[in-house]
Amino acid sequence: MVRSDVVMELAWRHGLTNEAMPYFINLMRQYQGKVDALTNEVSELKAKVERGTGGNGAAASAAGSGANQLMGPAGLGGRLLLGPGGPAPNAFGGQGGPGSMNGSQFGGF
């Protein structure tokens, strides 16, 4: 399937925005349905967490926040593998994050 940004760009470049509009209307409807479903799910999970902690809102937000559950112990989707050799190399070729220049805090300076 063709990505929506490609459809939008090609329609704009070739003056076919009127012909592409039904596609975009349908796409926006699908996205809105997904956002609504996720919003409902998140509100249900928040209510469930608050009921489970006895109404202590601060503990519920700290212990069960969605960001902490998504991020995990080593960042978004990352794994923190500390062993005898230190942290494991990552997808960026070094041991640090994308802006850390191979694990060095100051970029090798």
Side-chain angles (χ1 to χ4, degrees):
M1 181 172 242
V2 181
R3 291 180 16 183
S4 60
D5 62 327
V6 174
V7 172
M8 183 180 285
E9 181 179 353
L10 290 175
W12 174 64
R13 283 185 178 201
H14 299 288
L16 300 171
T17 52
N18 287 338
E19 287 78 9
M21 193 53 64
Y23 168 76
F24 288 115
I25 292 170
N26 187 35
L27 183 71
M28 292 303 293
R29 182 177 182 204
Q30 289 175 357
Y31 283 167
Q32 189 63 45
K34 290 178 183 181
V35 169
D36 290 342
L38 288 172
T39 301
N40 290 337
E41 186 176 339
V42 167
S43 64
E44 288 173 5
L45 288 173
K46 282 183 180 180
K48 190 177 193 181
V49 167
E50 287 181 4
R51 281 192 308 255
T53 60
N56 189 353
S61 64
S65 74
N68 290 338
Q69 292 173 359
L70 286 176
M71 295 291 282
L76 187 60
R79 296 182 303 179
L80 183 61
L81 299 176
L82 295 177
N90 62 20
F92 300 105
Q95 293 183 347
S100 67
M101 304 294 282
N102 291 331
S104 167
Q105 181 180 0
F106 300 107
F109 294 107

